Amino acid sequence: MPFRFSPVASNRMLVVNEVGEFIFLDRQTFERLVSYDLAPNTGIFLDLKGKHFVTDTAVTPVIDLLATKYRTKREFLKSFTGLHMVVVTLRCNQRCNYCHASSQPTDQQRWDMTPETAVNVVHKIMESPSEVIKIEFQGGEPLLNFEVVKTVVREAKRLNRKKNKHLDFVICTNLTLVDAPTLEYCKKEGITLSTSLDGPKEIHDRHRLMRTGEGSYDRFMQNLHFSRSILGHDGVNPLMTASQESLSHFNEIVDQYAALGFQGIFLRHVNPYGYAQNDATIQSFVYPMEDFVEAYKKALLYIIELNLAGTPLVEGYACILLSRILTPFCTGFVDLQSPTGAGINGVIYDFNGEVYPCDEARMLAKMGDRRFYLGNVNRDSYLDIFTSPVLQELIEVSCVETLPGCHSCPLQPYCGADPVRNYAIQGDLVGHRPTSDFCMKHKAIIEFLLELIDQDDPGVMDVFWSWITNRTLAEVRGEAPCSN
Amino acid sequence: MGVISTKTSAWFNGKPVIFLAGSPDNLRRLPFRPWGRKNLAACIVPAASKFTPPPKIPCIFDVPRDYCADLRDGDVVLIAPDGRIMVVYKAGSPYNSILATNRCNSLCVMCPQPPDRDPDDLYENNLQLISLLDPKTTEELGITGGEPTLLGEDLITLVQTCRQKLPNTVLTLLTNGRRLKDLEFARALVKAGSPNLLIETPLFADNDTEHDAVMGAKGSFYETLQGLHNLALLGQPVGLRTILHAMTIKRLTQYAAFIYQNLPFVFQVAFMGMETRGLASKNLAQLWVDPFDYQDQLAHAVRYLARRMVPVSIYNHQLCLLPRELWPFARKSITDWKQAYPPACDTCSQRECCGGIFGTGEKHSAFLRPIS
């Protein structure tokens, strides 16, 4: 049966099949496997057979089982675009050092989405065949053009009376502008807030600055508590962006997230686009990926310890990868998919109605390269946009099965491609894996997780499964009184 | 065949009644007005009873008192021409099942009830039994074998009859699922039983080599898997069972992993202790592992599935042979008439929570002990 393999740090061979079932073999056993030298009645042969790496009896039923598992793993392709990001304005009251969203001063109203464009955006969104639609308001700072947010919500809900989709709304906001009427509106309409928190004050304020120059931390904290008081504790979810300075403070950042009672943290490497390439602060954002990976691994172990000591906190990135590695189900994640999630799982509508497969593609356009422009909601039809040659090309060059380097990589079933990033950084959609830090990062982290899983420590596995299945440790352990 | 009644005033909707005399003890003859006399199929008269049965009604006399004491209203009994009384349904018990057939298309090494030929009237008797059950109080009913699917169309009819006569009863069909690889047969079965049909299927390994060896049937592993996938396709709830012995215990976690990867839709996985009877008793030397000695393997496999939200049950295990972390998964699963408690259980604090041992089994763990 087909499988891929590669040596790993522990001097063993990692062997993974087409649907992501894996096994570590010592080199000698691996040699015997590939030279057809394993006896069919040995434990190791049966292990390989049970995971459908080999068969010494029937072949067709094994292929049928693999096919069923393969379909299950690729189910995310069935539903098409579910995540729709709407940039309601480019204006922002903050001026963060790493911002790649081309933010504009607060008085420049011409960077706002008009109500007419907003209505056209909603009509395109609701044409998506996906049964689950998430509309994410982005900016700039979306609260600066809140009337258009309301227009989108109203129009989407109106159209949904016929469409009957599962509809979610999220506003990505820096929280500094929230007030009671805004929060009451969000509560009434079932909108949650996504925000940014980079860590304790000194870390957060280093790069997340107000347009006037002072730090945003104090105002953020005050409004976080205020927002929670109206939307509920879990109505606000933060994202963190790791600058070079935060790498050595991951544990403190994790502690802060835990202390604030957030359900999870997503340790995120900064995107090397847009203003993040600004000269003055460039050393904060362009740092070796190895440094990030090392800090990430340490932080992950620390988070696992915290969980075992009774503080539940999910590391979001590991959680997605673990779901891919450990479950037979598919895990949509726009940033790491094959084919790429850009366009077919997520899409972004700029303030002027222009449609791009992802935020990075929109950024490239802002910097003058309209390579990934898909169309404009004010002029083009849904089909024009979502069957555009650009999108088809993106999909064609983002199937890991056919990408040089990826094609033989055993981590393929857990990984994905990002052609827009390849283009932006390496000047080419296909990209070059040996020099790609995207590849380096995912390889290192996935292999780290595989080794952890292979160690099969009961505590670590309990924590991992509490993340994957969104349960408490006690629930995962089945701790319940005698029910007979 | 008829329904047991001890009362003179019950209403049986035209079902044949078998009157159990002796309660009240001083009743000497039946006042027939309350039931139409035509419903009275037979009388059972305990030893030393002064009861005089009505004329022209078949009667079994001198039935031992302790036997009569086990009979309840609503029980269904079959009286053989030679006067033997067989209880085919016990009212109020969750363990009632219809033996669909003694025949089987497999020969499991630990089968407690090896395949046999069927009596000529088995199928008709089963249909009659179903018509005698009380739809209001029959909450659960099993259909077992042998291998019930060998009945083919007759099984569909049997299930349909259950559905019509007992619309609220949960039916549990035990089948090895091999014949359900025929999608149309599976579809007809699911349609007949929906929505109160559960199917439970034995699966013994993560590979055909070992599973087929346990089943004594080459090719059965992949047939069963195809059957299970057909059932999943049809939306039929299906559970899995394995019996723990020397041939299944070694690779229990691999077994659990296989289920999660290939059959994640199952509503339950049951790990069952072996009843050392029938072929299990005959092959005991090859099969026996003391449950005390496989606790670690069992615990690992149970935790593996529980983490993955696959519901797990442990059947036929005594609590004193399970690590405490597994107690929440243990079920009192031994059929009441097979259940027994050895003397060691007399002082056990967990006796009420524990299902005891198979009174029918030949060999038991050497480590049974009271829990304080």
Side-chain angles (χ1 to χ4, degrees), chain A residues 47 49 57 462 471 482, chain B residues 208 251 254 300 303 307 353:
Chain A
D47 283 352
K49 189 176 183 180
T57 51
D462 286 341
R471 290 180 297 170
C482 166
Chain B
D208 63 341
R251 302 171 48 76
Q254 287 93 327
H300 197 268
R303 289 192 70 171
R307 282 185 189 124
C353 281

Side-chain angles (χ1 to χ4, degrees), chain A residues 68-271:
Chain A
T68 303
K69 289 189 272 192
Y70 192 81
R71 277 198 299 276
T72 309
K73 277 280 181 197
R74 301 283 153 178
E75 223 181 339
F76 65 91
L77 291 173
K78 221 161 78 178
S79 48
F80 213 63
T81 323
L83 173 64
H84 297 263
M85 295 166 279
V86 184
V87 178
V88 292
T89 178
L90 295 186
R91 291 186 291 136
C92 190
N93 61 331
Q94 288 195 194
R95 186 89 169 77
C96 305
N97 291 331
Y98 52 67
C99 181
H100 58 274
S102 63
S103 86
Q104 301 293 336
T106 47
D107 54 354
Q108 307 252 321
Q109 318 277 334
R110 67 194 173 100
W111 302 110
D112 284 358
M113 184 177 272
T114 64
E116 296 73 35
T117 301
V119 168
N120 289 338
V121 166
V122 174
H123 281 251
K124 293 294 180 288
I125 292 175
M126 297 306 283
E127 271 187 69
S128 168
S130 177
E131 282 305 309
V132 179
I133 297 282
K134 185 182 204 174
I135 298 180
E136 203 175 278
F137 297 100
Q138 296 202 353
E141 168 54 49
L143 298 189
L144 287 171
N145 192 12
F146 202 58
E147 279 312 308
V148 161
V149 170
K150 288 181 177 170
T151 306
V152 170
V153 172
R154 191 170 53 236
E155 189 65 10
K157 288 195 171 176
R158 188 181 71 81
L159 292 178
N160 201 37
R161 267 181 245 145
K162 272 193 185 153
K163 300 269 185 180
N164 252 325
K165 295 172 187 292
H166 180 92
L167 198 52
D168 271 329
F169 297 97
V170 180
I171 301 177
C172 302
T173 167
N174 59 37
L175 282 192
T176 53
L177 294 172
V178 295
D179 55 16
T182 306
L183 292 170
E184 291 295 350
Y185 172 83
C186 291
K187 189 181 177 195
K188 189 176 103 222
E189 299 291 341
I191 302 171
T192 54
L193 301 185
S194 172
T195 188
S196 298
L197 172 62
D198 286 354
K201 185 173 166 71
E202 55 276 25
I203 293 172
H204 187 86
D205 278 349
R206 184 187 285 266
H207 298 299
R208 295 197 60 82
L209 305 171
M210 303 307 293
R211 207 159 263 281
T212 47
E214 79 268 27
S216 60
Y217 185 82
D218 294 335
R219 221 191 297 182
F220 171 88
M221 288 307 288
Q222 202 182 338
N223 284 349
L224 171 66
H225 297 304
F226 180 46
S227 304
R228 281 177 156 181
S229 72
I230 293 178
L231 293 176
H233 190 84
D234 297 329
V236 189
N237 298 295
L239 273 175
M240 66 85 73
T241 303
S243 63
Q244 200 259 329
E245 297 84 6
S246 11
L247 295 185
S248 51
H249 299 285
F250 270 7
N251 286 8
E252 290 149 76
I253 300 171
V254 168
D255 284 339
Q256 188 203 25
Y257 268 66
L260 288 171
F262 289 119
Q263 293 171 336
I265 186 168
F266 199 115
L267 296 171
R268 224 165 46 125
H269 181 254
V270 67
N271 261 339

Side-chain angles (χ1 to χ4, degrees), chain A residues 76 324 331-341 344-345 398 415-417:
Chain A
F76 65 91
R324 287 195 181 171
T331 315
F333 178 45
V334 178
D335 296 350
L336 191 69
Q337 245 173 237
S338 167
T340 178
I344 61 169
N345 288 92
S398 63
C415 203

Side-chain angles (χ1 to χ4, degrees), chain B residues 161-317:
Chain B
T161 309
C162 289
R163 199 66 309 132
Q164 282 157 11
K165 306 260 181 189
L166 307 165
N168 301 316
T169 303
V170 175
L171 292 178
T172 302
L173 171 68
L174 293 187
T175 167
N176 61 39
R178 294 173 62 188
R179 284 222 160 177
L180 300 176
K181 71 173 184 178
D182 172 354
L183 181 62
E184 290 318 308
F185 181 54
R187 194 190 306 277
L189 178 65
V190 169
K191 191 174 167 221
S194 169
N196 289 336
L197 175 68
L198 302 178
I199 294 183
E200 297 222 34
T201 296
L203 189 75
F204 297 123
D206 64 330
N207 63 81
D208 63 341
T209 316
E210 291 179 321
H211 175 90
D212 290 1
V214 175
M215 284 284 264
K218 258 214 151 88
S220 61
F221 181 69
Y222 290 120
E223 288 177 351
T224 295
L225 285 177
Q226 198 180 337
L228 291 169
H229 275 185
N230 281 344
L231 293 176
L233 193 70
L234 297 163
Q236 168 63 46
V238 49
L240 296 176
R241 306 177 152 206
T242 186
I243 316 265
L244 304 179
H245 53 66
M247 292 172 76
T248 57
I249 200 70
K250 271 182 271 169
R251 302 171 48 76
L252 210 58
T253 297
Q254 287 93 327
Y255 169 75
F258 181 87
I259 291 170
Y260 185 62
Q261 288 293 336
N262 296 278
L263 308 160
F265 47 80
V266 296
F267 70 77
Q268 166 176 276
V269 176
F271 293 101
M272 304 174 65
M274 178 168 64
E275 183 183 6
T276 47
R277 191 168 82 114
L279 293 184
S281 164
K282 195 175 146 217
N283 297 323
L284 203 57
Q286 177 197 354
L287 297 177
W288 178 256
V289 184
D290 196 305
F292 181 83
D293 295 323
Y294 63 59
Q295 293 183 68
D296 289 348
Q297 288 100 313
L298 180 58
H300 197 268
V302 167
R303 289 192 70 171
Y304 187 95
L305 288 172
R307 282 185 189 124
R308 286 157 177 79
M309 295 179 87
V310 177
V312 186
S313 290
I314 300 174
Y315 287 172
N316 314 342
H317 279 72

